[in-house]
Amino acid sequence: MAGTPRVLRAMNDRAALDLLLEHGPLSRTRIGKLTGLSKPTASQLLARLEAAGLVIATGTDTGTDTDGPGDSGSGAGRPGPNAQLYAVNPTAAYAAGLDVTPERVLAAVADITGRTVGEHAVPTPGRRPAEPVARQVAAALDGAVKAAGLVRSDVRRLVIGTPGAFDPTTGRLRYASHLPGWHSSALLDDIAAALPMPIEYENDVNLVALAEQRLGAAKGHDDFVLLWNEGGIGAAVVLGGRLHRGFTGGAGEVGFLPVPGVPLVRHVTKANSGGFQELAGSQVIPRLARELGITPVPDGPYAEVAADLVGRAADVNSGPHRRLLATYATSVATGLASLVSVLDPELIVLSGSALTSGGEPLRALVQAELGELAASRPRLVLGDVLERPVLRGALESALTTTRDEVFDTLTLR
């Protein structure tokens, strides 16, 4: 079937839809120029996509494209009548993402263009969930669907991001003992029964890496490591443009990584401290600040306190604040050196509030320290996706598959 007119039309359709997603509304002439199609072929393509409900006319543009009724089709680009603009129809499909933490389940729904149209959070305080996890997940999704003015059947796919990873051989969540209620062997079946739709599960840090690869600092890079430091410390590894998850899904669980000067983690299924987490995790920053005589050290969740202290330290060029930043940078670089020695990535992205709050001063210190500790010299950058990066990555993951399904015009008659 390869090379047949039907397949070639489908390939051109997808190329045009991807261009509309990337650039926003475009005229027929502009689409023709970007795809290399003639104006008559571009016109047929747009008519086909409009009839399928995949694109809509969004108005006119008075630029140089001669795209109006009087256009001769010569492609000269002379100023002429108003050009009709076309865009991807945002209502063609919807996808959803969930970001799960011990404190809450946050859900969002996005239209096929990637615009978030509804959000809802279900709090989950305490070590024992007040209701079954499957019910929490369903409630969060239904709240986001309602906020979007939709019904559940409008959502084609859901991606759920959690700490740790579901072991593909057992279906049980691993590396996240701090997530109450998520360790039942029947959990995935319970969620599938509560939400009869395609559902995928992904590690939260992997989703942050996906968001950075699609939208942020790692765009255009096929080999990179993302180091995340928020409530816990973790990494995501992208090789050849694809996430490397490992045999049990545990690739990147660097909180357990043995490093000098801190206890080893002997029982990783029960403990969430020790190793690299104990050396550079967000819970270390308040203790280090007190040891250096920095006051006040605010109370609150470790991630918030660490971000505040690191942000303040980045604004000071001397004294205990600068020593805190330098000590933290050395700790971060110590763990990164092991990853660099094994993976030799092109790029390292620093993400999570305990890292991004340090801005360029912290990035430069970590870069310098890593240069002393590792043989290769990857470039370090700060993450760009700062607002709900796990949720954004979950939506991007769900949208990728949804677009592949919806944009496949081979099914059109």
Side-chain angles (χ1 to χ4, degrees):
M1 187 170 62
T4 65
R6 185 162 170 257
V7 172
L8 292 175
R9 281 197 299 271
M11 293 172 62
N12 289 334
D13 290 347
R14 181 60 192 262
L17 289 164
D18 287 342
L19 286 169
L20 290 170
L21 285 175
E22 180 181 359
H23 296 285
L26 296 172
S27 70
R28 176 186 60 174
T29 300
R30 185 63 178 155
I31 290 172
K33 289 177 180 178
L34 291 171
T35 59
L37 300 175
S38 66
K39 283 189 176 181
T41 301
S43 295
Q44 293 169 7
L45 178 152
L46 287 167
R48 185 166 59 248
L49 295 179
E50 193 170 16
L54 296 178
V55 302
I56 54 174
T58 60
T60 58
D61 181 27
T62 56
T64 59
D65 289 341
T66 56
D67 212 29
D71 183 7
S72 66
S74 65
R78 298 182 302 273
N82 291 348
Q84 178 67 62
L85 296 177
Y86 297 88
V88 171
N89 181 2
T91 67
Y94 298 90
L98 261 71
D99 174 16
V100 178
T101 71
E103 294 77 33
R104 53 100 179 108
V105 178
L106 175 63
V109 174
D111 65 35
I112 203 165
T113 69
R115 184 175 67 94
T116 299
V117 293
E119 289 187 4
H120 185 71
V122 172
T124 58
R127 295 295 301 171
R128 293 187 178 182
E131 59 181 353
V133 164
R135 196 175 301 166
Q136 296 172 16
V137 168
L141 176 62
D142 287 342
V145 167
K146 182 178 180 181
L150 304 171
V151 295
R152 188 194 285 180
S153 59
D154 291 325
V155 176
R156 295 181 65 103
R157 180 171 298 271
L158 171 66
V159 172
I160 299 176
T162 70
F166 285 91
D167 190 323
T169 61
T170 65
R172 296 181 72 110
L173 185 66
R174 303 185 66 183
Y175 316 110
S177 59
H178 62 302
L179 199 61
W182 282 77
H183 300 90
S184 165
S185 59
L187 177 62
L188 299 187
D189 290 337
D190 291 343
I191 294 177
L195 295 172
M197 66 176 62
I199 301 175
E200 297 176 14
Y201 298 86
E202 185 60 88
N203 170 262
D204 53 359
V205 184
N206 284 349
L207 291 175
V208 177
L210 182 62
E212 291 290 351
Q213 186 182 35
R214 301 279 174 80
L215 307 169
K219 194 171 184 178
H221 293 273
D222 288 336
D223 293 271
F224 70 94
V225 169
L226 180 136
L227 184 69
W228 168 264
N229 197 4
E230 190 98 21
I233 198 165
V237 179
V238 176
L239 301 174
R242 300 173 64 89
L243 281 167
H244 176 71
R245 297 178 176 86
F247 179 65
T248 65
E253 293 292 338
V254 296
F256 304 120
L257 182 72
V259 289
V262 295
L264 297 174
V265 185
R266 297 283 185 183
H267 302 285
V268 298
T269 59
K270 299 179 181 179
N272 283 287
S273 62
F276 192 26
Q277 177 71 36
E278 193 66 26
L279 181 69
S282 59
Q283 82 276 16
V284 176
I285 306 300
R287 183 171 70 239
L288 178 60
R290 293 186 183 96
E291 291 173 356
L292 292 171
I294 295 174
T295 57
V297 175
D299 294 324
Y302 284 135
E304 295 178 12
V305 174
D308 176 72
L309 289 168
V310 172
R312 280 195 279 152
D315 291 332
V316 180
N317 294 321
S318 61
H321 287 88
R322 178 53 53 160
R323 290 196 296 274
L324 180 140
L325 204 67
T327 302
Y328 180 42
T330 300
S331 299
V332 171
T334 299
L336 279 176
S338 295
L339 298 179
V340 169
S341 298
V342 174
L343 299 170
D344 188 22
E346 173 192 5
L347 182 76
I348 294 175
V349 180
L350 302 179
S351 186
S353 60
L355 289 168
T356 57
S357 61
E360 175 58 22
L362 177 62
R363 188 214 64 81
L365 286 169
V366 176
Q367 180 84 73
E369 285 292 296
L370 189 60
E372 297 288 330
L373 299 174
S376 62
R377 299 291 188 272
R379 184 165 62 94
L380 265 67
V381 296
L382 296 169
D384 285 339
V385 184
L386 302 181
E387 185 175 354
R388 296 173 177 168
V390 177
L391 188 62
R392 188 67 250 171
L395 289 172
E396 286 298 313
S397 178
L399 285 167
T400 296
T401 306
T402 298
R403 288 167 182 161
D404 286 343
E405 295 170 347
V406 176
F407 290 170
D408 181 7
T409 59
L410 276 173
T411 58
L412 298 180
R413 295 185 181 274

